[in-house]
Amino acid sequence: MTETTVAATATEAPLDYPMPRASGCPFDPPPQLARLREEAPFSRARIWDGTTAWLVTRYEDQRAILADDRFSANPLRPGFPMQSPGVAARRTNGKRLPFISMDDPEHNRVRRMFTSYFSVKRARALRPRLQEIIGDLLDGMEAAGPPVDLVSSFALPLPSLVIAEILGVPREDQPLFQRESRVLISMNSEIDDVLRAIDSLTDYLEGLLAAKERDPQDDLLSHVLADHVRSGATSREQLVQDAILLLIAGHETTTNMLALGTLALLRNPEQLAAVRDTEDPADIALAVEELLRYLTIVHTGRRRVALTDVEVSGQLIRAGEGVILPNDSANRDATVFDNPDSLDVTRQNARHHIAFGQGTHQCLGQNLARTELQLAYPALLRRFPTLRPAIEEDAIRYKHDAVVYGVYELPVAW
Amino acid sequence: MHLEIDQERCCAAGQCVLVADDLFDQRDEDGVVVLLDANPEGDAAARAAEAAALCPAAAITVVGS
Ligand code: HEM
């Protein structure tokens, strides 16, 4: 019987990936993923360029693959399932690959040049500065008066300002990296626009690094130049591409968590009240993990390619075959999370989510992101206890077309 | 319970410090894990097991219980 099942799975026509979400369920992953988890945990998916890859939907299998160094994150390897034409063009434009696209041991060697800036201790030390920025932004919202767009007045400026300060990017240059990263994060961007955005960010960072070499400051880029570029452990060209990664990953993600997370809480008033009214930071920390799990905003699947034949849960994946690992599916796996489709800010095992990925590529900025979210949600909800959306559900524009999910704008009133 | 860590594998995600900052720390220079207590007991042992389960790099091993 087992063999018939396997044969049936293999002959089933490949499904197009990414899949659409169900209308009216903006917080839930595409319903097809739930069916696949039950019926065909390893299925075939067809992507934008017509190629097919394994679509692996269960939590345990995704964790196993992401932690297995027989799978590569290098998009230049044949068979790697790229996310969009833009990502493909960008990865083959002759520039150095950032460390998110490298494999160990080289990946970890480069990653460690940045890890000290994102440790738990560093994130905790940033709290007073984060509180100050959050307070200023909330003052601005209050002064402007309702309705205000939560994205442009709060969710975007907070993480943008923070990652810019850590790297040492001047405040006035934020519009540049915000604009270019919007192009890079969209899956529908024209190839020419993607290449231009990368060139523009590359030129910008080359100039910035030159300025920091002449006049070092106490910031990440100055320190990495002094500690690792000067010694030859990394190159200036490599640092430019890694810095672009940090800038983009540092604000696109947290921005979307802040806005979409606030919306999810507004739609679940009891959960919102629990986050707003607790005095215990441990409750807030757990609520943030649950929002990360429930929303899993990096929603287009981790991508890897097998370096050798590998068997995972009895399924043979051949050398050169691509795999797509939709973390949003894993985070709704009922074998790990009870009632996975409900938002429960008191869920005890919420931190077992893989919204930050898994394996040695697991998010470098996770402790910074956690700290930003843990401070921002309660501060926002306490400042405006009557916060509500000032837009009809039908009019909300969700980021279906972006690598990172969220809302383009969220008008709110109080 | 006895714990072993693999600093070579560690990717400095910090998950262990989040669940048990009495047992684990991160090196200042590169965030790599430092073991503060290799033989946790009782409640601390449960948190150590959680840290081992969460570690993305599988750099924490529980040897015996
Ligand atoms: C809630 C916010 C965030 C989410 C949901 C998120 C999610 C993720 C995910 C899923 C990965 C894994 C990529 C893969 O395996 O292919 C990742 C990696 C990464 N993230 Fe984040 N991220 C967030 C915030 C941040 C922040 C604030 C930074 C700031 C520095 C950041 C920097 C990075 C970097 C550099 C990597 C690549 C790590 C590596 O390859 O070793 N992220 N993130």
Side-chain angles (χ1 to χ4, degrees):
Chain A
M1 278 319 284
T2 321
E3 274 177 25
T4 342
T5 323
V6 171
T9 309
T11 53
E12 197 178 306
L15 298 163
D16 287 332
Y17 187 86
M19 296 146 171
R21 293 174 191 251
S23 69
C25 304
F27 304 128
D28 291 332
Q32 276 175 311
L33 293 173
R35 182 183 67 81
L36 290 172
R37 264 195 323 271
E38 293 295 320
E39 295 171 11
F42 292 82
S43 62
R44 301 297 296 173
R46 186 181 304 284
I47 59 172
W48 60 276
D49 63 358
T51 61
T52 55
W54 290 105
L55 184 63
V56 183
T57 43
R58 286 187 183 164
Y59 177 91
E60 285 306 334
D61 296 331
Q62 289 193 12
R63 278 187 47 120
I65 290 172
L66 287 169
D68 188 331
D69 54 18
R70 292 171 297 173
F71 289 92
S72 170
N74 182 343
L76 301 182
R77 287 190 181 275
F80 187 95
M82 305 242 207
Q83 277 175 322
S84 66
V87 172
R90 175 177 156 196
R91 291 303 181 229
T92 51
N93 65 354
K95 297 207 162 63
R96 306 294 296 254
L97 291 175
F99 62 91
I100 196 168
S101 299
M102 293 178 181
D103 292 327
D104 289 332
E106 182 64 3
H107 156 262
N108 215 13
R109 192 184 71 77
V110 177
R111 177 176 161 117
R112 281 187 184 186
M113 297 176 192
F114 304 97
T115 37
S116 70
Y117 302 90
F118 299 98
S119 66
V120 173
K121 248 181 286 182
R122 279 287 179 117
R124 284 180 184 156
L126 268 174
R127 291 174 69 100
R129 177 65 187 132
L130 293 175
Q131 261 151 346
E132 191 178 11
I133 298 173
I134 290 168
D136 289 348
L137 292 171
L138 294 175
D139 291 348
M141 280 176 65
E142 209 170 337
V148 301
D149 174 21
L150 189 74
V151 175
S152 55
S153 62
F154 187 66
L156 178 61
L158 168 63
S160 288
L161 205 60
V162 172
I163 193 67
E165 284 187 8
I166 292 174
L167 264 66
V169 170
R171 193 180 186 132
E172 60 271 20
D173 297 338
Q174 277 185 61
L176 178 133
F177 75 77
Q178 288 175 354
R179 185 177 65 237
E180 306 299 15
S181 80
R182 259 200 303 276
V183 176
L184 296 179
I185 218 86
S186 166
M187 302 219 284
N188 294 334
S189 292
E190 298 295 332
I191 289 175
D192 286 349
D193 291 333
V194 169
L195 294 177
R196 190 203 42 73
I198 282 286
D199 284 344
S200 145
L201 285 167
T202 301
D203 288 348
Y204 170 70
L205 275 152
E206 276 169 357
L208 189 64
L209 290 185
K212 290 193 186 294
E213 263 170 352
R214 285 192 303 271
D215 180 19
Q217 309 286 322
D218 185 15
D219 56 40
L220 180 151
L221 291 178
S222 298
H223 286 298
V224 175
L225 276 169
D227 297 346
H228 303 294
V229 176
R230 198 177 297 159
S231 71
T234 190
S235 64
R236 182 104 76 87
E237 295 69 42
Q238 180 67 44
L239 177 55
V240 165
Q241 299 307 316
D242 291 337
I244 294 175
L245 165 66
L246 292 173
L247 269 181
I248 296 174
H251 80 282
E252 280 293 344
T253 45
T254 312
T255 295
N256 288 305
M257 266 311 292
L258 275 172
L260 195 66
T262 301
L263 184 59
L265 290 171
L266 290 169
R267 297 274 185 253
N268 292 273
E270 284 160 32
Q271 308 283 319
L272 183 148
V275 173
R276 184 190 56 210
D277 300 337
T278 179
E279 298 291 326
D280 186 351
D283 293 343
I284 305 277
L286 203 55
V288 165
E289 299 305 318
E290 172 65 353
L291 285 163
L292 286 162
R293 179 197 73 85
Y294 181 68
L295 299 171
T296 313
I297 53 166
V298 183
H299 70 150
T300 55
R302 311 289 82 242
R303 311 289 174 115
R304 299 291 188 266
V305 60
L307 294 174
T308 59
D309 290 2
V310 185
E311 209 181 285
V312 184
S313 297
Q315 176 65 57
L316 176 65
I317 298 176
R318 292 192 187 281
E321 286 181 337
V323 290
I324 299 175
L325 312 154
N327 293 163
D328 47 350
S329 172
N331 285 339
R332 299 292 183 104
D333 190 327
T335 64
V336 181
F337 304 104
D338 294 337
N339 290 323
D341 295 325
S342 66
L343 175 69
D344 172 6
V345 295
T346 64
R347 185 186 295 279
Q348 286 307 306
N349 71 345
R351 59 172 78 252
H352 286 250
H353 69 74
I354 53 170
F356 287 124
Q358 167 67 9
T360 59
H361 286 281
Q362 193 181 70
C363 184
L364 174 74
Q366 58 184 285
N367 298 306
L368 173 62
R370 285 188 170 102
T371 309
E372 291 178 296
L373 297 172
Q374 288 167 7
L375 295 174
Y377 291 127
L380 172 70
L381 299 175
R382 284 175 197 162
R383 179 73 72 98
F384 306 113
T386 58
L387 194 76
R388 59 182 184 278
I391 180 173
E392 294 299 318
E393 173 63 36
D394 292 353
I396 296 178
R397 295 191 309 137
Y398 291 93
K399 296 185 177 178
H400 294 290
D401 59 342
V403 175
V404 185
Y405 188 62
V407 287
Y408 282 100
E409 53 277 305
L410 184 60
V412 290
W414 54 87
Chain B
M1 173 191 273
H2 181 68
L3 292 177
E4 281 174 8
I5 56 167
D6 184 342
Q7 293 184 320
E8 204 54 40
R9 290 190 66 93
C10 175
C11 65
Q15 297 262 24
C16 54
V17 181
L18 282 184
V19 294
D21 60 5
D22 52 336
L23 306 178
F24 305 97
D25 195 1
Q26 289 178 278
R27 280 198 310 232
D28 283 339
E29 64 273 26
D30 59 7
V32 166
V33 61
V34 178
L35 191 54
L36 301 177
D37 179 356
N39 299 293
E41 299 288 340
D43 170 54
R47 280 180 292 112
E50 174 79 343
L54 287 175
C55 175
I60 303 170
T61 318
V62 174
V63 202
S65 46

